[in-house]
Amino acid sequence: MAAISRVLSGSPTARSIPAATQERIFAAAQQLNYRPNLLARSLRQGRSTSVGVIIPEISEGYATPILAGIEETLSAAGYILVMLTHHHRAEVLARAQQIFAERAVDAIIAVDTALPFVGPIPTVTVSCPDSRPNVTNIVLNHDRAAELALHHLYALGHREIAIIKGQPFSSETEVRWNAIERAAACFGIALRPNQVVQLEEDLPTSEPGYRATRKLLDQARDFSALFAFNDVSAIGAVMALHDAGLRVPNDVSVLGFDDIAFAGVHRPALTTIRQPLHEMGVLAATTVLKQLGGIPDLRSGTQRMIVEPELIVRSSTLKR
Amino acid sequence: MAAISRVLSGSPTARSIPAATQERIFAAAQQLNYRPNLLARSLRQGRSTSVGVIIPEISEGYATPILAGIEETLSAAGYILVMLTHHHRAEVLARAQQIFAERAVDAIIAVDTALPFVGPIPTVTVSCPDSRPNVTNIVLNHDRAAELALHHLYALGHREIAIIKGQPFSSETEVRWNAIERAAACFGIALRPNQVVQLEEDLPTSEPGYRATRKLLDQARDFSALFAFNDVSAIGAVMALHDAGLRVPNDVSVLGFDDIAFAGVHRPALTTIRQPLHEMGVLAATTVLKQLGGIPDLRSGTQRMIVEPELIVRSSTLKR
DNA sequence: TTGAAAGCGTTACCAT
DNA sequence: ATGGTAACGCTTTCAA
């Protein structure tokens, strides 16, 4: 039994077993159609070749490419995902910790989620700006993103730029806003309070963007450009502007964020700041795998991996 | 140990344990912050409170609501998903069987996937028309869908209707096409071979729909309506028609399928045949849960659960 | 180089 | 009503 275990699980101690015996073992396993019981192995080793993934919801546009990137990478390495959604509810987040512990996940990837816990296992976050000890954070270069965005609009002649901030519960809202403020200061753009609105509802649709834009139009109509928190809300903004008799991009230039799949298909095609969502998922997964396979020392210490945004110009964003 | 196991796992045999003892056990568990080890339980019981889910890919529009419905329902019942994607590759599908067996999933849900295997565990398929023994199939009422679609177009005066069939590898392509043929016969609509094209590329984007429509336009321009295999390809079709100088819906009425989230946001807003994707995910999951909890007899026998489509009229599909 | 045996943390079968 | 104990199928240590 010992020899069989060592050979079939590819243990380094198998090197001291003669080739002939190994052959016999492989042959027998093949003939008997032997499959090791992963549950027994997991129980014994205390690990499960699985990775916990937590994300607010399985939503269109944003979550999909990240999850796809994570799934591809992990399943190619023989890991499965223990995927949980929390819908921004604190008690579900707390339960997630239990579930991950029960299932003995070997690592955790948190997407767009402020983890209330950090365990002794490798932990990687995606788009969670608040860094915690022993966690690797994969974050977008928000300063660069804001600079790309405002430079684009500024270069086209826009000076009165409205902003739609993210929902209060969204983990990136604050850092993004701060970056926008810094970039605006750089370009000498004034962000007037009545030209700033915030997404409110917890819906992954364009509805919150529509409502925020309605509110914006009620309190200010003197902006010539609008920078939305994400593409989904930018689409809602375009609808609201259109309903208010304003043309996009002729009257108002709308700039989105994320570059979701539908951004290029939407009419008017959405100019946007691209986040490499799929790549971020892949990066999160490969980072986890590296930590799982590598030297334990690599796990410790807070690390930041910065991902670069890109300006995608689609509908010609005309100068006013 | 025995008493503790019985009480904490809610075994029916725990009824013969006096309330006082049960209290003591609960109190101690609480105080010691005891969490049962799921791996050990799974090893012993041969089940893992997990459900295998296999789907071609984590794609926008189609997969997302189904997966969300499955995830919600299963995780509310304490199950986790073992989610695999196969990208229409046969060898990956075969490996999936291995992985599900290794992980000792308690049931399997296959979405839009022709399973090459049926095990002894409850198995539910979503949108897989070919029925196999001991599998519950959740399928759309395709005849009704085709009837809704063609009646809608017919009533608007359309007689020359082009069709975009699904990819050859898509599990619903054939059954959908057969239903369309029957409905067309009913209404006395002739489906001319040069007005029928098929999606080819294995991409979850609107690209295949665009290409198919280009091909269609090369071989026929005498159609006044176009019925696409799904919304994603309908969007591609609208782009291709537009690029060819045709207006939608003025020159050509385009009818989609699925009613994905962006169908109502797209301009022109997409008229479409709605599949209740989210509900289908929920239904698949509840069916699995019922079979897992219920009498084993319920598992046997092939069952079909028919889901009804709905016509969603958005852009006014004008009579030619 | 190989084998025996001790667990991993449960559950379930028997006794009491 | 309770408790002892043998599995479940593997890995790993220790001896041979």
Side-chain angles (χ1 to χ4, degrees), chain B residues 53-75:
Chain B
V53 176
I54 184 152
I55 191 165
E57 64 228 313
I58 303 177
S59 63
E60 305 280 340
Y62 181 80
T64 310
I66 296 183
L67 285 178
I70 293 175
E71 196 273 338
E72 276 170 27
T73 311
L74 289 183
S75 85

Side-chain angles (χ1 to χ4, degrees), chain A residues 5 34 36-37 41 44-45:
Chain A
S5 170
Y34 170 81
N37 181 321
R41 174 180 292 175
R44 182 62 231 255
Q45 300 191 341

Side-chain angles (χ1 to χ4, degrees), chain B residues 3 9 21 24 29 41 76 88 93 113-114 130 136-137 143 147 159 166 169 173 185 196 199 212 219 292 304 311 315:
Chain B
S9 64
T21 309
R24 271 203 303 150
R41 174 179 291 174
H88 302 291
L93 256 171
T113 296
D130 46 306
T136 302
N137 300 286
D143 278 316
E147 186 196 320
R159 293 299 178 268
F169 52 75
T173 295
V196 177
L199 301 175
Q219 60 193 46
L292 284 174
R304 256 183 135 65
L311 171 68
S315 59

Side-chain angles (χ1 to χ4, degrees), chain A residues 144-196:
Chain A
R144 178 87 182 116
E147 185 195 319
L148 282 172
L150 294 191
H151 175 265
H152 173 68
L153 297 175
Y154 188 89
L156 290 167
H158 297 287
R159 294 298 177 271
E160 301 294 326
I161 299 172
I163 311 283
I164 299 182
K165 289 171 72 172
Q167 281 95 342
F169 52 74
S170 181
S171 57
E172 296 223 300
T173 295
E174 198 184 323
V175 63
R176 183 91 56 82
W177 171 246
N178 292 340
I180 292 172
E181 278 190 314
R182 279 192 293 274
C186 255
F187 290 108
I189 297 170
L191 299 173
R192 309 184 199 289
N194 67 336
Q195 290 178 350
V196 177

Side-chain angles (χ1 to χ4, degrees), chain B residues 52 100 104-108 118-124 134-135 291-292 299:
Chain B
F100 286 155
V105 297
D106 301 340
I108 290 177
V118 175
I121 56 176
T123 305
V124 173
N134 296 326
V135 171
Q291 294 188 8
L292 284 174
R299 288 182 208 170

